[in-house]
Amino acid sequence: QVQLVESGGGLVQAGGSLRLSCAASGRTVSIGWFRQAPGKEREFVARITWNGGSTYYEDSVKGRFTISRDNAKNTVSLQMNSLKPEDTAVYYCAAKLTPKGTYSTQYDYWGQGTQVTVSS
């Protein structure tokens, strides 16, 4: 059984930073971050593999967000810098048993989400 728990969300001013954390239990291969704003589809943000640490980012967050993992602690972090109001969303941690994927349907397990609100 795989369980994921997100933390670190909150309210921040535009230009500020937040660091999200995903604590994972059970065997997974890749961890992805997705986000969903009100009235919008859930969209891919970033993903990382546990083994090689291969990363992939959505274009809109490149240079601002950094995904990383701590294998010993079984956690994945999403460092978010230069936040914009359009980054406001519920952020979800998701896991899959294969290395790659940018579609939500490719992920097998999901956390409950953590709210990120960026004010102007």
Side-chain angles (χ1 to χ4, degrees), residues 1 7-8 30 42-43 45 56-57 63 67 73 79 86 91 95 103 106 109 111-112 119:
Q1 183 179 6
S7 62
S30 300
R42 187 169 298 185
E43 66 175 348
V45 176
Y56 189 80
Y57 298 90
I67 189 170
K73 296 180 179 180
Q79 178 67 44
E86 50 263 46
Y91 283 70
Y103 298 100
Q106 296 175 305
Y109 306 97
Q112 293 299 305
S119 62

Side-chain angles (χ1 to χ4, degrees), residues 20-87:
L20 306 183
S21 180
C22 173
S25 62
R27 177 187 172 274
T28 63
V29 175
S30 300
I31 297 292
W33 285 97
F34 291 78
R35 65 187 180 186
Q36 188 167 23
K40 299 182 67 177
E41 297 283 341
R42 187 169 298 185
E43 66 175 348
F44 170 79
V45 176
R47 67 101 175 119
I48 191 168
T49 59
W50 288 107
N51 189 13
S54 175
T55 60
Y56 189 80
Y57 298 90
E58 162 63 31
D59 285 344
S60 66
V61 307
K62 286 181 179 178
R64 299 190 298 122
F65 292 10
T66 302
I67 189 170
S68 61
R69 91 285 199 212
D70 186 329
N71 292 61
K73 296 180 179 180
N74 222 37
T75 59
V76 170
S77 297
L78 184 68
Q79 178 67 44
M80 305 185 295
N81 299 325
S82 301
L83 284 163
K84 305 174 182 179
E86 50 263 46
D87 294 318

